[in-house]
Amino acid sequence: RARQLLLQTEMPITDVALACGFVSPPHFTKCYHERQGRSPSEERRLRRERLVSGAAQRPSDAAPMAPEAMPASPEPHPTPIDKAAE
C-alpha cells in the first residue's frame, strides 16, 4: 500500500506513513527501505525520473490518430434487470 501511495499520489511521505499505520515517519522509512531496497524519497525520485524520461521519449508533435485507425469500441453490456424493482 505504501509503494502504491508513493507512486500514484503526491501525498507527503509523512502522510503516507500515517495512512499505512505508522506513528513514526523515521520508523516507516526504515521499514520501507528494508522491504523495498530503497527509501520512500528514493522511490519518489525514481518515479519522477521515469516520468520525465518517458515524456522526453514521446514525440510531442505526433499527429492524432485518425478515427478509422482507432480500435473499435466493444459493444456495451446489457444492464441486468432488477427483479425487485418490477
Side-chain angles (χ1 to χ4, degrees), residues 3-46:
R3 187 166 191 266
Q4 179 183 16
L5 291 173
L6 290 168
L7 295 176
Q8 296 178 357
T9 72
E10 291 298 323
M11 288 173 65
I13 293 171
T14 299
D15 292 350
V16 171
L18 296 173
C20 293
F22 287 85
V23 294
S24 166
H27 182 65
F28 165 72
T29 297
K30 179 180 179 277
C31 292
Y32 190 91
H33 190 276
E34 288 174 358
R35 183 169 177 104
Q36 298 295 331
R38 62 178 63 102
S39 71
S41 58
E42 287 174 299
E43 192 79 78
R44 281 268 168 89
R45 182 182 52 76
L46 289 171

